mmCIF file of all heavy atoms in Angstrom:
data_model
loop_
_atom_site.group_PDB
_atom_site.id
_atom_site.type_symbol
_atom_site.label_atom_id
_atom_site.label_comp_id
_atom_site.label_asym_id
_atom_site.label_seq_id
_atom_site.Cartn_x
_atom_site.Cartn_y
_atom_site.Cartn_z
ATOM 1 N N VAL A 1375 -8.128 -8.262 0.804
ATOM 2 C CA VAL A 1375 -8.196 -6.856 1.232
ATOM 3 C C VAL A 1375 -9.601 -6.624 1.886
ATOM 4 O O VAL A 1375 -10.536 -7.344 1.713
ATOM 5 C CB VAL A 1375 -8.102 -5.903 0.031
ATOM 6 C CG1 VAL A 1375 -6.822 -5.946 -0.662
ATOM 7 C CG2 VAL A 1375 -9.209 -6.184 -1.029
ATOM 8 N N LYS A 1376 -9.629 -5.583 2.746
ATOM 9 C CA LYS A 1376 -10.861 -5.209 3.332
ATOM 10 C C LYS A 1376 -11.566 -4.211 2.464
ATOM 11 O O LYS A 1376 -10.975 -3.253 1.977
ATOM 12 C CB LYS A 1376 -10.652 -4.643 4.742
ATOM 13 C CG LYS A 1376 -10.325 -5.608 5.817
ATOM 14 C CD LYS A 1376 -10.814 -5.135 7.170
ATOM 15 C CE LYS A 1376 -10.609 -6.125 8.191
ATOM 16 N NZ LYS A 1376 -11.598 -7.163 8.243
ATOM 17 N N VAL A 1377 -12.824 -4.442 2.229
ATOM 18 C CA VAL A 1377 -13.683 -3.469 1.501
ATOM 19 C C VAL A 1377 -14.915 -3.293 2.374
ATOM 20 O O VAL A 1377 -15.741 -4.142 2.515
ATOM 21 C CB VAL A 1377 -14.092 -4.049 0.107
ATOM 22 C CG1 VAL A 1377 -15.048 -3.053 -0.582
ATOM 23 C CG2 VAL A 1377 -12.831 -4.330 -0.683
ATOM 24 N N GLY A 1378 -14.943 -2.060 3.081
ATOM 25 C CA GLY A 1378 -15.944 -1.844 4.036
ATOM 26 C C GLY A 1378 -15.724 -2.732 5.161
ATOM 27 O O GLY A 1378 -14.625 -2.824 5.795
ATOM 28 N N THR A 1379 -16.736 -3.613 5.499
ATOM 29 C CA THR A 1379 -16.570 -4.526 6.642
ATOM 30 C C THR A 1379 -16.214 -5.919 6.174
ATOM 31 O O THR A 1379 -16.102 -6.842 6.967
ATOM 32 C CB THR A 1379 -17.876 -4.559 7.448
ATOM 33 O OG1 THR A 1379 -18.971 -4.917 6.581
ATOM 34 C CG2 THR A 1379 -18.179 -3.234 8.107
ATOM 35 N N GLN A 1380 -16.109 -6.120 4.831
ATOM 36 C CA GLN A 1380 -15.849 -7.450 4.184
ATOM 37 C C GLN A 1380 -14.367 -7.629 3.929
ATOM 38 O O GLN A 1380 -13.678 -6.699 3.621
ATOM 39 C CB GLN A 1380 -16.611 -7.601 2.994
ATOM 40 C CG GLN A 1380 -18.124 -7.647 3.132
ATOM 41 C CD GLN A 1380 -18.858 -7.860 1.775
ATOM 42 O OE1 GLN A 1380 -18.489 -7.342 0.810
ATOM 43 N NE2 GLN A 1380 -19.897 -8.749 1.876
ATOM 44 N N THR A 1381 -13.965 -8.907 3.918
ATOM 45 C CA THR A 1381 -12.623 -9.229 3.452
ATOM 46 C C THR A 1381 -12.812 -9.945 2.134
ATOM 47 O O THR A 1381 -13.664 -10.946 1.985
ATOM 48 C CB THR A 1381 -11.948 -10.153 4.469
ATOM 49 O OG1 THR A 1381 -11.786 -9.452 5.693
ATOM 50 C CG2 THR A 1381 -10.558 -10.616 3.921
ATOM 51 N N LYS A 1382 -12.212 -9.473 1.057
ATOM 52 C CA LYS A 1382 -12.370 -10.019 -0.253
ATOM 53 C C LYS A 1382 -10.990 -10.340 -0.919
ATOM 54 O O LYS A 1382 -10.031 -9.679 -0.627
ATOM 55 C CB LYS A 1382 -13.086 -9.003 -1.164
ATOM 56 C CG LYS A 1382 -14.516 -8.681 -0.836
ATOM 57 C CD LYS A 1382 -15.091 -7.779 -1.823
ATOM 58 C CE LYS A 1382 -16.568 -7.543 -1.539
ATOM 59 N NZ LYS A 1382 -17.190 -6.772 -2.606
ATOM 60 N N PRO A 1383 -10.940 -11.274 -1.828
ATOM 61 C CA PRO A 1383 -9.761 -11.429 -2.631
ATOM 62 C C PRO A 1383 -9.524 -10.223 -3.423
ATOM 63 O O PRO A 1383 -10.385 -9.581 -3.985
ATOM 64 C CB PRO A 1383 -10.092 -12.643 -3.508
ATOM 65 C CG PRO A 1383 -11.213 -13.352 -2.880
ATOM 66 C CD PRO A 1383 -12.017 -12.290 -2.173
ATOM 67 N N PHE A 1384 -8.240 -9.821 -3.522
ATOM 68 C CA PHE A 1384 -7.849 -8.621 -4.273
ATOM 69 C C PHE A 1384 -8.368 -8.751 -5.659
ATOM 70 O O PHE A 1384 -8.804 -7.823 -6.364
ATOM 71 C CB PHE A 1384 -6.276 -8.441 -4.252
ATOM 72 C CG PHE A 1384 -5.830 -7.285 -4.930
ATOM 73 C CD1 PHE A 1384 -6.139 -5.993 -4.436
ATOM 74 C CD2 PHE A 1384 -5.091 -7.359 -6.038
ATOM 75 C CE1 PHE A 1384 -5.610 -4.802 -5.086
ATOM 76 C CE2 PHE A 1384 -4.623 -6.272 -6.707
ATOM 77 C CZ PHE A 1384 -4.850 -4.971 -6.199
ATOM 78 N N LEU A 1385 -8.270 -9.992 -6.243
ATOM 79 C CA LEU A 1385 -8.735 -10.249 -7.602
ATOM 80 C C LEU A 1385 -10.233 -9.906 -7.743
ATOM 81 O O LEU A 1385 -10.702 -9.482 -8.874
ATOM 82 C CB LEU A 1385 -8.448 -11.633 -8.086
ATOM 83 C CG LEU A 1385 -6.951 -11.872 -8.257
ATOM 84 C CD1 LEU A 1385 -6.702 -13.402 -8.482
ATOM 85 C CD2 LEU A 1385 -6.318 -11.086 -9.364
ATOM 86 N N ALA A 1386 -11.059 -10.121 -6.731
ATOM 87 C CA ALA A 1386 -12.501 -9.786 -6.827
ATOM 88 C C ALA A 1386 -12.616 -8.301 -6.941
ATOM 89 O O ALA A 1386 -13.533 -7.811 -7.611
ATOM 90 C CB ALA A 1386 -13.219 -10.303 -5.565
ATOM 91 N N VAL A 1387 -11.850 -7.541 -6.157
ATOM 92 C CA VAL A 1387 -11.905 -6.100 -6.316
ATOM 93 C C VAL A 1387 -11.450 -5.645 -7.670
ATOM 94 O O VAL A 1387 -12.192 -4.787 -8.289
ATOM 95 C CB VAL A 1387 -10.895 -5.412 -5.243
ATOM 96 C CG1 VAL A 1387 -10.910 -3.941 -5.429
ATOM 97 C CG2 VAL A 1387 -11.404 -5.781 -3.881
ATOM 98 N N LEU A 1388 -10.461 -6.211 -8.255
ATOM 99 C CA LEU A 1388 -9.973 -5.867 -9.581
ATOM 100 C C LEU A 1388 -11.220 -6.211 -10.635
ATOM 101 O O LEU A 1388 -11.463 -5.463 -11.529
ATOM 102 C CB LEU A 1388 -8.778 -6.620 -10.030
ATOM 103 C CG LEU A 1388 -7.472 -6.181 -9.216
ATOM 104 C CD1 LEU A 1388 -6.281 -6.933 -9.799
ATOM 105 C CD2 LEU A 1388 -7.293 -4.708 -9.262
ATOM 106 N N ALA A 1389 -11.804 -7.304 -10.467
ATOM 107 C CA ALA A 1389 -12.872 -7.747 -11.335
ATOM 108 C C ALA A 1389 -14.080 -6.731 -11.287
ATOM 109 O O ALA A 1389 -14.637 -6.390 -12.299
ATOM 110 C CB ALA A 1389 -13.386 -9.116 -11.003
ATOM 111 N N GLN A 1390 -14.414 -6.277 -10.008
ATOM 112 C CA GLN A 1390 -15.423 -5.288 -9.886
ATOM 113 C C GLN A 1390 -15.078 -3.969 -10.589
ATOM 114 O O GLN A 1390 -15.958 -3.326 -11.207
ATOM 115 C CB GLN A 1390 -15.728 -5.022 -8.369
ATOM 116 C CG GLN A 1390 -16.491 -6.135 -7.710
ATOM 117 C CD GLN A 1390 -16.570 -5.867 -6.210
ATOM 118 O OE1 GLN A 1390 -15.726 -5.258 -5.587
ATOM 119 N NE2 GLN A 1390 -17.616 -6.430 -5.647
ATOM 120 N N LEU A 1391 -13.825 -3.580 -10.525
ATOM 121 C CA LEU A 1391 -13.350 -2.384 -11.178
ATOM 122 C C LEU A 1391 -13.476 -2.505 -12.647
ATOM 123 O O LEU A 1391 -13.938 -1.615 -13.346
ATOM 124 C CB LEU A 1391 -11.963 -2.029 -10.725
ATOM 125 C CG LEU A 1391 -11.791 -1.529 -9.325
ATOM 126 C CD1 LEU A 1391 -10.228 -1.418 -9.004
ATOM 127 C CD2 LEU A 1391 -12.459 -0.160 -9.104
#
Side-chain angles (χ1 to χ4, degrees):
V1375 296
K1376 281 210 177 282
V1377 179
T1379 58
Q1380 295 181 318
T1381 300
K1382 293 184 176 185
F1384 184 67
L1385 291 171
V1387 175
L1388 295 183
Q1390 287 175 330
L1391 290 172

